[in-house]
Amino acid sequence: VSRAPRAIPNVVSIAGIDPSGGAGLFADLKAFSALGAYGCGIVAALTAQNTRSVTGVHLPPDDFIRLQLDTLFADVPIASAKIGMLGNAGVVRTVADGLEKRRLPFLVLDPVMIAKSGDKLLADEAIAMLREALFPLATIITPNLPEAGVLLKASVPESVRDMRRAAEKLRDLLPHSGQRWVLLKGGHLPGGELIDLLFDGDFSPLPDDLGFR
């Protein structure tokens, strides 16, 4: 039985370049390919970094980021986008304006603020712009625990119960219609457990016998 070839979706990552390939645009493109999508990329930031530290950040001019967006979308049908490091308020506003008029059905927003090494990757003035301009367009946000604390102007979650409370508050920052998800990454939890939490608005009771406090 012959089957029609499966359409391969075009997905764009709008993110920074990590020369080590462990994060950012390079990592996104590898993930897209592994999942059967065709990866495109908009370079929103250049970094000098390795697996241990970030030693420098360079941001392209806003006009050039806008030109990248306009040129790509004029030719390639984009099914969804994943946003990573943006760097400052001007870049956030430029990306938000470019995506708002295109209204993609799925938008993954990783509010990159703090690298795994602890280096700060997002200027303070950009955080409010991120919440104001990009959160309303997002289908899912994927902060780590320090980023959740910054977004909520609260302490960093230190337990699974703290993560559940934070996920509920973070979801309230997203559009109040359609699909809304929070993937809260728990790699910074104290102790040896690695727990990520995916929240769509409904939590089942948390079993006490699992040791979650």
Side-chain angles (χ1 to χ4, degrees), residues 160 163 184-197 212:
V160 174
M163 288 175 67
L184 189 53
K185 297 175 289 190
H188 292 81
L189 280 178
E193 290 182 307
L194 176 59
I195 298 170
D196 294 340
L197 189 153
F212 295 160

Side-chain angles (χ1 to χ4, degrees), residues 166-206:
E168 290 177 304
K169 294 176 181 178
L170 286 166
R171 190 170 181 268
D172 287 339
L173 302 178
L174 297 177
H176 290 279
S177 62
Q179 298 182 69
R180 295 183 294 143
W181 297 78
V182 174
L183 175 60
L184 189 53
K185 297 175 289 190
H188 292 81
L189 280 178
E193 290 182 307
L194 176 59
I195 298 170
D196 294 340
L197 189 153
L198 181 64
F199 179 54
D200 68 348
D202 182 25
F203 275 134
S204 57
L206 187 64

Side-chain angles (χ1 to χ4, degrees), residues 59-181:
L59 302 180
D62 297 349
D63 286 348
F64 187 71
I65 294 174
R66 183 178 299 107
L67 182 61
Q68 289 184 78
L69 284 163
D70 290 344
T71 303
L72 177 67
F73 277 86
D75 176 51
V76 180
I78 299 296
S80 61
K82 192 263 185 183
I83 297 176
M85 178 184 174
L86 299 182
N88 66 26
V91 176
V92 173
R93 181 78 264 174
T94 298
V95 171
D97 289 345
L99 294 178
E100 185 174 19
K101 63 185 179 183
R102 287 161 177 118
R103 289 292 174 178
L104 298 175
F106 304 105
L107 178 62
V108 178
L109 174 57
D110 185 2
V112 176
M113 303 175 190
I114 303 166
K116 185 177 180 181
S117 60
D119 295 282
K120 190 174 181 179
L121 299 176
L122 188 66
D124 289 339
E125 65 270 15
I127 296 171
M129 182 65 70
L130 191 75
R131 292 178 49 165
E132 172 191 331
L134 276 176
F135 273 50
L137 305 178
T139 311
I140 180 170
I141 58 172
T142 65
N144 60 31
L145 299 187
E147 290 160 352
V150 171
L151 288 167
L152 296 173
K153 300 179 182 179
S155 58
V156 176
E158 295 184 344
S159 68
V160 174
R161 292 192 184 280
D162 288 348
M163 288 175 67
R164 287 161 64 97
R165 287 190 287 268
E168 290 177 304
K169 294 176 181 178
L170 286 166
R171 190 170 181 268
D172 287 339
L173 302 178
L174 297 177
H176 290 279
S177 62
Q179 298 182 69
R180 295 183 294 143
W181 297 78

